[in-house]
Amino acid sequence: TELDRARFLLTPGESLNENQTERGQVLRQVVALMVAHRRPSWYLAQGRKDLDETTDAYLRLLATEGIIDTGWRDAALRQRLVFRDMVRHPPLFPTSHGKGSTAARSRLAGWLGTSLYSLDRLDASVDTTLHGELQDAVSDYLGRLADPAFARSQSLIGERLLQPASLGKVSYSFTLLERTPQGNLVRVQTDTTTQPLDINEGSKLELGSTAKLRVLATYLELVAELHARLVPLEPKALRDTAFDRQDTLTRWAVQHLASAKDRSLDAMLLAALERRFSADPGERFFTGGGVHSFNNFNDSDNGRSPTVREAMQASINLPFVRVLREVVRHTMYQVPGSTARLLEDDSDPRREAYLARFADREGQTFLRRFWRKTDRRSTDELRSVLLEGLRPTPERLTAVFRYLEPEAPPEALSAFLKERLGEKAPNAARVQSLFSRYAPDALDLPDRGYVAGVHPLELWLVAYRLQNPQASLTQAIAASQSERQAVYGWLFRTRVKSAQDDRIYTLLEVEAFLDIHQRWARLGYPFGHLVPSLATALGSSGDRPAALAELMGIILNDGVRLPTRLLTGVQFASDTPWFTALGNTPVKGERVMAPEVARALQQALSEVVERGTARRLVGSFRAPGGEDLSPGGKTGTGDNRVVVRGRATLALNRTATFVFHLGPRYFGSLTAYVVGPDAARYRFTSGLPVQILGSMGPTLMPYLGTAPGSGCASAPP
């Protein structure tokens, strides 16, 4: 029923006498709606018979009270309610939201603290930074890559790229931002999945060697900090500077400044990039609580000792594993009188006294960090946060489960292991053995943490919060006094020096990665922890394409972190007395990196394109207006599998990523990925997104302006 027609028929007048049937139908509808608003989910669905009967009762009551005449009442009582067929005639035809608008809607819903359902019922309009035409052009281009003929025309078929028969299961994500005085403006944000999940911002993927960019940034930051501390020293004081023999980074810094003619920070950073690290895969590394080995992608690199710069260009694995090891050891030993130094001298009289102070002070420090990591988490989320950082083995998982669920029967342990390990879960006899071996009284807290590969205090805190969900941080600290002493005190009581050293190193490595994580988080790393292993240099801690793009923006902006903006304004209730408009606050950048470090990273990224793994992009982007859009970036390939006893058993996903900049203003990321067991059939590497970006050049170039903000920003959102 049209509203204007209903309003006309409900208005008293002599001319309506001939419309009694229609008037009766409208009256019945209006009264029914007045009744239905009390319990709409009942009356308008299963309770339609009740609605008819209640409507009849109110029509009679209206006549009895003299509000309507008996003729109108009788006409309404003769009618029956007819409900709309929501399938054939939906009240609101569904609209197809592109990935860009979906991202904007999700961002706004998050800001308002509401659901997308409720958002659709607001009288609101939004201004976005997205360039509509370019967003559609890129989405269309990526969508066409599933067509073998089009993929071949873009030179995407070949070794280490794609094969015609398997194009359909490869998904792509792309984000492009522009650095402006108003912040980093998102110009394109899209992916080819049909799911609401935004791969750019909502995923956690192993993006392979892109992690080397984060490792390189941390390495150069430490060099800059050493320069600030050491360069003011006189030559004699510099030569007398004490450093631990394991702290090779400090030793190199002292030697460099003692002999260099140019002692500036820029010169020291360039010298740091020229240091050589072995690419030999033969060394076994004690990291992550065990002994590990790593391989290079190309066997031809095995006998080399490239510079850090060359290793970055060619994305060679082993040099970066060793760079991260140097960063970890420097982090362990950089504090004067640190535990790491005291542990090397068994006869140091300060050991016991220092241990007690260390356990109390450092134990509280790490407990607070773990509290922030687990804060505002549900019971299931607490377990997930703890388990997601584990390398899953039956022993580790059982050690954790028996501590968190000491009263659970063997059947519960079996179900837990099947959930986490799938087909690789142990049989019933093995489960029973594990159940007894890792009983609550079989191991103390430090040993259990060591077996599980997690910090014992994190394990204790998760168990404590599961048992005391309402407890405060103050209460947790008070309750953990004996555990803090136990975690650190046991280290000095074992008589086996090698076992003692291994366990000490494992704990110190965990603590070093907590410090490294804080550095990464300052540069936009999106997750709450790092895997405490040198494998993090090769991507085992995961990342997000959008977070990598943010790091690229920091580097391009000489170390200043600008806000990333997708929405620029929101207007509520336009043309009403309640009109409200919201806009962005002025940009306030935060310096998170020394400008000299940012410039050194810019140069390293440019060389990846000039003569490294992305060299196929050389000359691909030439602006018609003469602006230099020479690209730079970092490639990464992720091949994530479950491996048991050296044999790959289950492929989880395969990714290939290129985080890039185009000239001084535009930057972003491009990722290709396959999820699930089918990933084992793919052999593409990071050359794929590099080739795609190059092939997209003709699509992108018309929109990349020659003056700041004049390109993508000039088009309507």
Side-chain angles (χ1 to χ4, degrees), residues 141 156 174 176 617 620-621 631-632 658 660-662 670 688-698 700:
Y141 178 93
L156 300 179
F174 181 78
L176 181 70
L617 284 181
S620 297
F621 290 86
F658 184 50
F660 62 87
H661 71 81
L662 301 175
L670 176 58
L688 176 60
V690 170
Q691 180 62 40
I692 292 174
L693 183 62
S695 300
M696 285 174 58
L700 297 174

Side-chain angles (χ1 to χ4, degrees), residues 66 114 364 412 589 596 675:
T114 189
Q364 289 192 39
E596 295 87 352
V675 177

Side-chain angles (χ1 to χ4, degrees), residues 143-292:
R144 295 176 66 191
L145 295 182
D147 177 12
F150 182 73
R152 193 177 300 278
S153 72
Q154 303 301 298
S155 302
L156 300 179
I157 305 298
E159 182 68 18
R160 299 296 181 183
L161 295 173
L162 297 174
Q163 299 303 317
S166 58
L167 296 177
K169 294 193 176 181
V170 184
S171 300
Y172 305 92
S173 71
F174 181 78
T175 180
L176 181 70
L177 299 94
E178 182 182 8
R179 183 171 62 92
T180 75
Q182 292 76 43
N184 296 328
L185 307 185
V186 181
R187 298 310 191 187
V188 178
Q189 184 166 322
T190 187
D191 62 57
T192 59
T193 69
T194 58
Q195 304 300 318
L197 173 67
D198 182 354
I199 296 299
N200 287 292
E201 292 187 344
S203 64
K204 183 176 185 179
L205 298 172
E206 290 195 14
L207 300 180
S209 291
T210 55
K212 293 171 185 170
L213 177 57
R214 295 196 185 276
V215 172
L216 183 60
T218 302
Y219 167 70
L220 294 179
E221 281 186 325
L222 292 177
V223 170
E225 292 171 10
L226 283 168
H227 179 273
R229 177 161 63 90
L230 298 175
V231 78
L233 299 180
E234 296 294 332
K236 183 179 185 308
L238 186 62
R239 288 192 296 270
D240 293 339
T241 300
F243 53 84
D244 192 273
R245 62 184 179 85
Q246 296 285 348
D247 187 3
T248 54
L249 184 58
T250 299
R251 179 177 62 189
W252 172 84
V254 169
Q255 292 173 348
H256 169 80
L257 290 174
S259 60
K261 294 181 180 179
D262 184 352
R263 303 174 83 233
S264 67
L265 176 55
D266 285 323
M268 188 170 179
L269 292 171
L270 293 178
L273 289 172
E274 296 302 324
R275 294 179 65 203
R276 294 187 177 275
F277 288 83
S278 172
D280 179 13
E283 181 181 358
R284 294 167 69 82
F285 298 84
F286 185 81
T287 183
V291 178
H292 298 264

Side-chain angles (χ1 to χ4, degrees), residues 39-57:
R39 294 177 62 196
S41 61
W42 168 251
Y43 281 127
L44 299 179
Q46 299 95 329
R48 292 178 179 180
K49 182 179 179 181
D50 285 356
L51 180 61
D52 258 327
E53 294 174 354
T54 307
T55 300
D56 287 347

Side-chain angles (χ1 to χ4, degrees), residues 9 84 131 157 165 169 198 226 276 285 371 475 554 586 657 715:
L9 293 171
R84 183 175 190 155
H131 187 291
I157 305 298
K169 294 193 176 181
D198 182 354
L226 283 168
R276 294 187 177 275
F285 298 84
W371 182 273
Q475 291 171 321
I554 293 170
T657 299

